[in-house]
């Protein structure tokens, strides 16, 4: 038996003897089986679950905190069912900015302070064992929010003050910062307070600012609103910081900066969390007791999500549960954890339980550095209270999508239609502005040119122009297969476009002769000569028809520089320039599903065709040159692209997430290889992106040098590769 467990049992024996309990009477009162009680006190049990301890402490009329106060935290970890070991083993101290946080709504009994205190201690012990670094509990979790005029009773408030100190002392040895609610007195006034404690100490007390006094709420009857200025409050023999202008900062992880507000504070026009976030808070703890009415859950969910989004914070909303009085109201325990507006976890109504999530504080810092660089009214009254809470590496449970650019479920169909409409409307505006009634688009039977053709068709229909003005040009050469050519031809005809076929083999061979290149040498010159010849043909045709060349290249190709400079890299308007390859597939698939059977059949075959520029000679009409064999799988590259640009993640963090996201799809070594390729190409190919044609922005990630991405063409990739290589070594991969 562990020494910590033995100490706990020894305390229980002493209290049991003092209170005159037998094993039988204790089992009956606590609800713990007699067999378990007998084993416990005879030394026949090696460990105790926290639930069992809680039940015994309540039955014995003692504090759970007192029973476990001297127990090593390792004992609590071993005995908790919440603690999950990682399937990946790794020596690392950097948590990549991730922090596990939790909200809980322990069972309460209205005005039963000792019972509620035991529940609070049980909750924080469980949270610590589960690895949570922050735990937020509901408003007035120590007494219950629905005590009514009992709050005037000194018996209740004095008991609460006594147990506030006991609860704080119980956090000693735990790796969790606890925020819970209690009424407290200061200078003859009563306040609805949040108590922030860690390491056995109270760090500060935050009173409620806005007291609802309408409909079913009458907080002003018993409580006073928070004072404007910070001050101190005496609890027991000590004084502690008291006020709303505090941010609690983790010196061990400076990006963990916690602000606190209480229930109604969120529902008003100017929530305190606005000021707190402006002044640096990245985490907002909201202790709430929001009753349930029809439709309120959805409103609450949207409110929390929006506040998290607009303040760029992780928002921890802990709501009171059904233990509150139902004299007039009912409470569902609907608690929510949000990160930058995204709901990571929430409880079901009337199913209160502790929930946890991994919030990404480094991402929030990145977001703020981009979007909050304008002047805010800084509150000079804000004070910072520091604490030391180590946040080492741990295995996150948060899931990341393999295809972050692609919406899921029903949303995909709606989003696909929106994207196609955005592309078509953008092209419509350009054509209308220049008075053009024709466009020229090179079609290859591949994904990109197919999407560009679809956009042209939609734009022409919007303008009421005859589709014959869409000059769909196929230019077969050395690598063109009958499959891709036939698909290009058939699709153009089915859409009613003006199809033109121009075989460029003779022109390219003449060019080889002019520059003295041996056509048997299939190198970069061999490939790029074809790409530039095609662009020349398209440009000249656009002059001939008085139209513009529509670019077909996509966002993924721009990121990798997978385009021939001044070849397919160039056009007069690039409709796909902010659409990644993984999304293009789904857009075409959605278009196919809404098309007639003939068009659908062609689009489906295009989707089934390997991605290829077809610049190398084919082998008996089979594609030889497959893009993903050369530069890597686009599903990986789009994952890398999204997280490096949209989220600002370091290569080491992207590598870590990719290994877990694509577990079973790609080996670590494969992911490392292609991430390194992505980084090298992304840096080395910026010169192509510095001079790309106009093209519409579709999503949050784009590489236009006039818009979202400005980068020197001669930047060095060294430190990004070094970061990745170090991560590879940590994961057992040889750089």
């Amino acid at each position: 038996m562990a020494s910590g467990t033995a100490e706990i049992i020894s305390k229980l024996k002493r209290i049991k003897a003092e209170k005159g309990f037998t094993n039988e009477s204790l089992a009956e009162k606590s609800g713990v089986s007699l067999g378990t009680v007998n084993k416990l006190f005879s030394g026949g049990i090696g460990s105790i679950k926290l639930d069992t301890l809680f039940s015994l402490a309540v039955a014995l009329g003692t504090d759970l905190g007192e029973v476990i106060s001297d127990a090593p935290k390792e004992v609590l970890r071993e005995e908790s069912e919440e603690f999950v070991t990682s399937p990946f083993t790794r020596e690392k101290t950097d948590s990549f900015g991730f922090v596990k946080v939790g909200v809980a709504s322990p069972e309460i009994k209205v005005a039963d302070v000792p019972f509620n205190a035991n529940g609070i201690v049980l909750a924080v012990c469980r949270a610590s064992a589960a690895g949570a670094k922050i735990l937020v509990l509901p408003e007035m979790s120590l007494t219950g929010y629905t005590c009514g005029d009992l709050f005037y009773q000194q018996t209740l408030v004095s008991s609460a003050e006594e147990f506030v100190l006991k609860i704080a002392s119980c956090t000693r040895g735990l790796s969790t910062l606890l925020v819970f609610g209690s009424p407290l007195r200061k200078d003859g006034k009563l306040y609805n307070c949040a108590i922030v404690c860690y390491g056995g100490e109270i760090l500060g007390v935050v009173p409620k600012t806005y007291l609802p006094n309408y409909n079913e709420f009458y907080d002003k009857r018993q409580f006073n609103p928070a004072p404007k200025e910070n001050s101190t409050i005496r609890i027991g023999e000590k004084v502690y910081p008291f006020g709303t202008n505090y941010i609690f900062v983790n010196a061990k992880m400076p990006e963990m900066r916690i602000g606190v507000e209480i229930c109604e504070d969120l529902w008003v026009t100017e929530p305190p969390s606005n000021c707190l976030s402006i002044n640096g808070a990245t985490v907002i703890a909201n202790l709430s007791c929001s009753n349930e009415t029809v439709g309120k859950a959805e409103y609450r969910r949207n409110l929390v999500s929006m506040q998290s989004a607009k303040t760029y914070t992780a928002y921890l909303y802990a709501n009171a549960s059904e233990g509150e009085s139902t004299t007039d109201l009912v409470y569902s325990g609907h608690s929510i954890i949000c990160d930058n507006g995204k709901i990571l976890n929430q409880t079901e109504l009337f199913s209160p339980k502790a929930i946890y999530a991994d919030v990404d504080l480094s991402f929030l810092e990145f977001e703020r550095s981009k979007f909050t660089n304008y002047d805010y009214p800084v509150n000079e009254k804000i004070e910072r209270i520091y604490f030391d809470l180590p946040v080492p590496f741990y295995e996150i449970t948060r899931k990341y999508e393999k295809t972050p650019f692609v919406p899921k479920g029903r949303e995909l169909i709606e989003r696909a239609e929106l994207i196609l409409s955005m592309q078509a409307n953008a092209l419509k505006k350009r054509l209308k502005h220049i008075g053009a009634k024709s466009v020229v688009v090179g079609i290859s039977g591949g994904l990109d040119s197919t999407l560009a053709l679809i956009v042209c068709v939609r734009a022409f229909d919007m303008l009421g122009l005859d589709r014959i003005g869409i000059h769909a040009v196929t230019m077969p050469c050395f690598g063109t297969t009958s499959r891709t050519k036939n698909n290009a031809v058939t699709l153009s005809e089915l859409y009613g476009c003006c199809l033109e076929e121009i075989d460029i083999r003779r022109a390219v061979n003449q060019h080889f002769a002019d520059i003295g290149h041996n056509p048997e040498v299939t190198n970069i010159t061999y490939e790029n000569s074809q790409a530039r010849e095609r662009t020349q043909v398209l440009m000249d045709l656009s002059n001939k028809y008085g139209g513009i060349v529509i670019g077909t290249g996509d966002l993924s190709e721009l990121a990798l520089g997978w385009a021939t400079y001044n070849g397919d890299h160039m056009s007069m308007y690039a409709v796909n320039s902010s659409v990644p390859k993984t999304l293009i597939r789904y857009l075409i698939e959605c278009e196919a599903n809404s098309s007639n059977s003939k068009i659908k059949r062609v689009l489906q075959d295009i989707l089934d065709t390997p991605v290829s520029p077809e610049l190398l000679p084919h082998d008996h009409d089979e594609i030889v040159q497959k893009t993903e064999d050369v530069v890597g799988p686009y599903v990986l590259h789009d994952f890398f692209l999204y997280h490096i640009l949209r989220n600002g993640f370091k290569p080491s963090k992207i590598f870590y997430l990719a290994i877990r996201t694509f577990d079973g799809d790609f080996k670590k070594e494969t992911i490392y290889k292609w991430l390194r390729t992505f980084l090298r190409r992304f840096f080395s190919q910026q010169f192509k992106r510095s001079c790309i044609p106009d093209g519409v922005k579709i999503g949050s990630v784009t590489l236009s040098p006039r818009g979202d991405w400005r980068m020197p063409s001669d930047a060095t990739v060294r430190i990004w590769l070094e970061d990745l290589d170090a991560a590879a070594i940590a994961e057992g991969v040889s750089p």
Side-chain angles (χ1 to χ4, degrees), residues 264-326:
E264 183 74 8
D265 291 346
L266 169 64
W267 299 70
V268 300
T269 305
E270 187 66 26
S273 51
N274 287 0
C275 177
L276 292 168
S277 64
I278 287 170
N279 287 274
T282 55
V283 179
I284 299 296
N286 185 306
L287 299 76
S288 186
C289 189
S290 175
N291 63 303
E292 208 56 58
T293 57
V294 176
K296 192 174 183 179
E298 185 63 27
Y299 187 92
R300 183 189 300 118
R301 189 180 297 112
N302 291 336
L303 185 65
V304 171
S305 175
M306 183 55 66
Q307 187 66 5
S308 170
K310 77 174 190 177
T311 57
Y312 301 100
T313 57
Y315 203 97
L316 316 185
Y317 183 89
N319 199 8
S321 66
E322 53 198 285
E324 292 285 355
S325 172
T326 58

Side-chain angles (χ1 to χ4, degrees), residues 2 55 204 232 351 444 486 488 617 694:
S55 299
T232 58
S351 299
S444 64
N486 290 340
D694 292 356

Side-chain angles (χ1 to χ4, degrees), residues 397-470:
T397 57
R398 183 171 178 173
K399 303 298 180 185
Y400 285 82
E401 298 289 347
K402 294 179 181 179
T403 52
F405 288 107
V406 182
K408 299 297 177 287
R410 179 68 189 173
E411 185 186 2
L412 175 58
I413 299 174
E414 297 172 358
R415 192 72 62 84
E417 182 59 36
L418 173 61
I419 292 169
L420 289 169
S421 295
M422 292 171 69
Q423 291 177 278
N425 274 282
L427 179 56
K428 169 191 167 184
K429 162 65 178 175
R430 179 55 56 96
L431 294 175
K432 188 176 181 179
H433 175 72
I434 63 178
K437 295 184 179 180
S438 66
V439 295
V440 178
V441 57
I443 54 169
S444 64
L447 295 172
D448 293 350
S449 64
T450 297
L451 179 59
L453 183 61
I454 291 170
V455 171
C456 290
V457 167
R458 285 182 170 231
F460 268 59
D461 290 349
M462 290 176 180
L463 289 166
L465 297 175
D466 192 331
R467 293 182 184 180
I468 203 70
I470 302 172

